[in-house]
Amino acid sequence: MTEAYIYDAARTPRGKGRADGSLHEVTSLALSARLLTAVKERNGLSGHVIEDVIWGNVTQVGEQGGCLARSAVLASDLDERIPGLSINRFCASGMEAVNLAANQIKGGAGQAYIAGGVEMMGRVAMGSDGAAIAVDPSLAMKTYFVPQGISADIIATEYGFTREMADALAVESQRRAAEAWAENRFAKSIVPVRDQNGIVILDHDEYMRPGTTVEDLAKLKASFKDMGEVMPGFDKVAMLKYPHLDHIEHIHHAGNSSGIVDGAAAVLIGTKEFGQAHGLKPRARIRATAKIGTDPTIMLTGPVPVTEKILRDSGMSIGDIDLFEVNEAFAAVVLRFMQAFDVSPDKVNVNGGAMALGHPLGATGAIIIGTLLDELERRDLSTGLATLCIASGMGAATIIERV
């Protein structure tokens, strides 16, 4: 089987996903197109050398609707003969784009792809697409649907994670992210966002709150307590599914959950022959990919079974992995991953994660693959695993190995 290699990984800085965020004036189309153009320029690409652009985004309405991938190709400096495919696997959309591209290459369908994703959460509100899993009573009742924040609190209750543990992890994420930026660890991947006059709009992740302390977070009210206990009473729905729980411990809030941000990320993937033809050196090979469905009520436990699956399928063990990127959708997700595999915190999200830097839904999967690769190179390590929990109960994972 043909190997799929990563030649480049690029991302925009993440802007606050609200009206006063630095990227608020930029459309999803414009941000995607600028990043695609940057990948072309960074790698000296010309003509119809890319088989396809696979682009993830979650809320596919308004400016993020239609086939945004094809629109982004046409708005960029890429050749118009390159098609585009928009995909949606909720929070893993950017990762799934990369995995799809890699597996197309491994199957012989083309020499090179650009894969990644975008989400402008300050412009296209999460949930504004009216997804059936949340709004169709026939499905919601069948799946015992609860909002993701309640799901995170169920994980905390089920596996014994306290508010103090979650807050400590969030503070550490802030510390690591600030340290990473201070040491320019993201420099290789960051593509500053400029306006039409070439003036830089944003060149750093602006969601960070590096001075955050555990004492600061202790003052925050649990975000999902009222919707769980009062109206519409999602705790009771959850306990119908899990009758062994006599209550839900609400520990999550804005400080120990992922931030709402804007951003995009792209990965250039190709065969060995593609790299040789264009004078590009492969940085890593995509060794394995996996996806899985999980319990849709607790919803966010996917990183554990999908990691078990990808290790089993690839004949590897957890000890073969040097570094992990586990998306910090909520603190309990990462705490559960480390608990399940007895993984040292020193190997997980070493440059901080979405609690500090934000989670632009459709882009995050591609972002964490790039972050993982950069850090493997910086530390001169070999193998990394990236994984995400996914809305409605799924998990996705990618293993990369430096070459």
Side-chain angles (χ1 to χ4, degrees):
M1 183 178 291
T2 302
E3 293 281 7
Y5 295 95
I6 297 176
Y7 287 95
D8 194 16
R11 72 171 178 93
T12 69
R14 283 167 272 197
K16 295 176 183 177
R18 58 194 195 205
D20 62 349
S22 295
L23 298 183
H24 188 68
E25 67 186 72
V26 184
T27 65
S28 306
L29 173 62
L31 196 69
S32 300
R34 291 174 190 177
L35 192 56
L36 293 178
T37 296
V39 171
K40 174 188 175 182
E41 293 174 346
R42 283 160 60 109
N43 297 281
L45 305 178
S46 62
H48 188 193
V49 298
I50 300 296
E51 182 76 17
D52 203 355
V53 170
I54 305 179
W55 211 238
N57 65 288
V58 174
T59 310
Q60 297 188 352
V61 295
E63 69 180 52
Q64 291 187 169
C67 184
L68 179 58
R70 174 58 175 167
S71 297
V73 169
L74 295 175
S76 75
D77 290 343
L78 291 177
D79 192 296
E80 66 179 13
R81 292 172 291 176
I82 299 170
L85 170 66
S86 288
I87 66 163
N88 183 358
R89 199 187 289 280
F90 294 126
C91 298
S93 296
M95 175 176 285
E96 190 61 34
V98 172
N99 291 353
L100 280 172
N103 291 326
Q104 292 269 47
I105 289 170
K106 290 181 179 183
Q111 293 283 306
Y113 287 71
I114 298 175
V118 68
E119 205 79 31
M120 303 302 286
M121 300 179 74
R123 296 179 59 91
V124 184
M126 179 170 55
S128 59
D129 54 348
I133 189 67
V135 303
D136 188 323
S138 64
L139 181 58
M141 292 175 68
K142 178 183 178 182
T143 59
Y144 295 88
F145 170 81
V146 298
Q148 283 191 22
I150 302 291
S151 297
D153 288 337
I154 297 171
I155 294 173
T157 307
E158 179 74 14
Y159 294 101
F161 305 131
T162 65
R163 167 75 177 256
E164 290 74 21
M165 294 167 68
D167 287 356
L169 186 69
V171 168
E172 179 63 8
S173 182
Q174 294 284 352
R175 187 195 68 77
R176 292 182 180 189
E179 182 177 85
W181 268 105
E183 295 183 359
N184 293 317
R185 297 183 195 173
F186 301 129
K188 184 180 291 187
S189 296
I190 289 290
V191 175
V193 181
R194 301 175 183 273
D195 65 14
Q196 294 180 339
N197 299 313
I199 299 172
V200 173
I201 300 173
L202 186 64
D203 61 3
H204 65 282
D205 293 316
E206 69 173 348
Y207 183 79
M208 293 188 302
R209 300 174 300 280
T212 302
T213 66
V214 172
E215 291 74 24
D216 294 331
L217 297 187
K219 300 173 184 177
L220 299 179
K221 179 182 177 181
S223 297
F224 310 103
K225 184 178 177 66
D226 287 348
M227 71 171 64
E229 296 180 353
V230 187
M231 290 297 294
F234 285 108
D235 284 7
K236 293 183 179 179
V237 175
M239 287 185 284
L240 288 173
K241 182 74 171 286
Y242 314 113
H244 63 284
L245 299 178
D246 60 8
H247 76 290
I248 306 297
E249 194 70 37
H250 292 287
I251 71 165
H252 289 92
H253 50 75
N256 60 27
S257 306
S258 56
I260 294 175
V261 294
D262 304 324
V267 180
L268 175 62
I269 308 162
T271 63
K272 182 178 180 180
E273 293 73 20
F274 165 78
Q276 292 172 338
H278 297 278
L280 299 174
K281 182 180 179 181
R283 297 173 61 189
R285 72 183 178 108
I286 297 179
R287 179 163 176 170
T289 68
K291 61 271 186 184
I292 201 166
T294 63
D295 181 340
T297 307
I298 203 168
M299 194 184 307
L300 307 174
T301 55
V304 173
V306 81
T307 295
E308 293 171 340
K309 182 178 190 296
I310 199 171
L311 292 174
R312 183 173 61 249
D313 291 350
S314 57
M316 301 177 70
S317 69
I318 202 74
D320 295 325
I321 308 299
D322 296 312
L323 291 175
F324 300 87
E325 283 289 324
V326 183
N327 185 40
E328 294 178 349
F330 299 90
V333 174
V334 183
L335 290 169
R336 173 57 188 149
F337 182 89
M338 292 190 293
Q339 179 191 65
F341 296 104
D342 193 24
V343 174
S344 169
D346 294 337
K347 291 186 175 183
V348 181
N349 301 341
V350 297
N351 291 316
M355 290 187 290
L357 299 166
H359 174 22
L361 306 177
T364 300
I367 289 175
I368 64 174
I369 290 173
T371 299
L372 183 61
L373 176 55
D374 285 346
E375 191 62 20
L376 288 171
E377 290 176 339
R378 192 181 75 86
R379 296 186 180 210
D380 195 22
L381 297 174
S382 171
T383 306
L385 183 148
T387 184
L388 304 93
C389 61
I390 308 173
S392 76
M394 294 184 281
T398 306
I399 294 176
I400 63 173
E401 182 179 69
R402 286 179 61 210
V403 295

